[in-house]
Amino acid sequence: MNYKKYMTYRAELGFPRQDFIDAGDLDLYGKFPQIEPVEGLPGHKNGNIHRCHLVEDFLRFFRLDVDKKLVAFSEGVRHSVEKLMEHYVDRKWIIAADNYPFYLETADDLELEYDVFTTLEEGSLSALASLETDGDILLTTYPLKPSGAKYTDADIDWLKQWLAEDAQRLLIIDAVYIHYFETAQAIMGLFKESEQVVILYSLSKSFAAPKIAGFTFTHQPEIRELFKGLPRNDYTMTLCYGLLNSMEGIKRRDDVLNLLKEKREAAVKRHLLEYCLLYTSP
């Protein structure tokens, strides 16, 4: 069953319905009571938290071998995308149109010039090869959303070639759906090989903790500079510390991963989150 057939089938069942929980809904707090709001996690012993220390905690937690100086701290992936679009508003973008609606919404609000491509039907980045565009900033996801597919070897080769053809080009990868160290290695290899690669992470999916913290991996000093003047938020920084350093935080992530595992097992295609059938409510 492909995505279009799934949406048709979903509509035939009369969804949304009050007597069912939609397992494809990302409102984990509202739909799944075992995932409680993030408030109340233990904070730092003396409250003396610095962004650089949270970056170190994040790198250690996900076992990412990256120099902390190459990671900027933000409010989340959405915030990072907005800052990047604002900064590169005069550049032409290439945006995955079947990923997150806020990509194109933000681009339109900023009157950004862009071309689009799709990944859903192909399950890869293959549509880029035939796209006629002079855009030089490419925004996509990893894994691909909503298909959940990983980049193929052909995708990786195409991305490397595309970047090598013009030193001004940028590849921005939204990696918010990476939950495991092993999954991250495919794109971290790209990041280490090319200074034109920017990777965006956050805690919103792996910890079900939106708008707490984002981590922008970039070799570009001008991009890291975008996040240096952000006002300090002791409340969210304390929560970030608790998620990455406490037993409560570890348990929360385990709960989220177990929930995602349950949802994958109910999937109708490739055991993916976005292709889940529907759970009956208790």
Side-chain angles (χ1 to χ4, degrees):
M1 180 183 289
N2 63 30
Y3 186 71
K4 290 181 180 178
K5 290 181 179 179
Y6 165 70
M7 293 304 291
T8 299
Y9 175 62
R10 187 177 185 277
E12 291 173 350
L13 292 176
F15 285 90
R17 287 166 48 179
Q18 295 298 318
D19 57 334
F20 276 74
I21 292 175
D22 183 350
D25 194 321
L26 293 180
D27 178 12
L28 298 181
Y29 301 150
K31 303 300 182 183
F32 299 92
Q34 63 266 50
I35 303 297
E36 299 179 353
V38 72
E39 292 82 357
L41 286 169
H44 195 281
K45 293 180 180 178
N46 58 14
N48 186 23
I49 305 173
H50 299 281
R51 293 185 178 101
C52 61
H53 296 154
L54 294 177
V55 168
E56 290 176 347
D57 293 340
F58 180 82
L59 293 173
R60 182 187 67 252
F61 193 98
F62 285 94
R63 292 189 285 163
L64 298 173
D65 182 22
V66 176
D67 186 342
K68 69 176 182 180
K69 295 179 181 178
L70 300 180
V71 185
F73 187 87
S74 74
E75 297 172 7
V77 166
R78 182 184 291 258
H79 175 238
S80 298
V81 169
E82 290 171 348
K83 296 290 285 186
L84 288 165
M85 285 188 173
E86 290 171 359
H87 183 67
Y88 292 113
V89 69
D90 295 327
R91 303 269 292 272
K92 186 171 182 179
W93 290 58
I94 308 169
I95 302 175
D98 53 2
N99 288 180
Y100 300 108
F102 90 87
Y103 288 167
L104 299 184
E105 291 169 359
T106 304
D108 289 338
D109 288 344
L110 294 171
E111 299 182 350
L112 206 69
E113 185 180 5
Y114 62 86
D115 289 322
V116 298
F117 68 100
T118 61
T119 65
L120 180 58
E121 293 298 329
E122 300 83 358
S124 71
L125 296 174
S126 60
L128 285 168
S130 58
L131 181 68
E132 295 185 5
T133 179
D134 57 351
D136 61 359
I137 297 181
L138 171 58
L139 172 61
T140 186
T141 62
Y142 186 84
L144 295 175
K145 186 182 184 300
S147 71
K150 298 178 182 179
Y151 294 167
T152 65
D153 290 342
D155 290 338
I156 298 291
D157 291 342
W158 187 92
L159 291 171
K160 290 180 179 179
Q161 179 63 31
W162 183 78
L163 291 172
E165 290 173 357
D166 187 339
Q168 297 302 309
R169 289 175 173 173
L170 287 178
L171 168 61
I172 302 174
I173 302 175
D174 178 345
V176 71
Y177 270 101
I178 286 183
H179 300 291
Y180 300 98
F181 162 76
E182 291 76 14
T183 310
Q185 298 315 296
I187 57 172
M188 293 313 299
L190 279 172
F191 178 77
K192 292 178 179 180
E193 289 181 30
S194 174
E195 295 188 358
Q196 297 163 258
V197 176
V198 180
I199 299 177
L200 311 178
Y201 287 105
S202 83
L203 304 182
S204 64
K205 307 305 181 188
S206 54
F207 284 90
K211 299 180 180 180
I212 298 299
F215 303 88
T216 298
F217 290 64
T218 177
H219 298 274
Q220 308 290 327
E222 67 175 286
I223 293 179
R224 295 196 297 274
E225 196 68 28
L226 299 177
F227 302 96
K228 284 188 176 179
L230 297 179
R232 180 184 175 89
N233 188 323
D234 289 319
Y235 175 70
T236 56
M237 289 173 67
T238 297
L239 290 177
C240 179
Y241 178 88
L243 287 167
L244 296 172
N245 291 280
S246 70
M247 292 304 298
E248 290 88 345
I250 294 173
K251 181 181 183 302
R252 179 184 185 83
R253 181 168 183 266
D254 288 344
D255 288 344
V256 171
L257 294 180
N258 287 334
L259 175 58
L260 294 177
K261 181 179 179 182
E262 292 175 14
K263 295 173 78 173
R264 283 194 299 272
E265 290 172 351
V268 297
K269 179 183 178 182
R270 300 183 190 173
H271 303 290
L272 299 174
L273 179 63
E274 280 73 20
Y275 290 96
C276 285
L277 284 176
L278 306 158
Y279 281 49
T280 55
S281 57

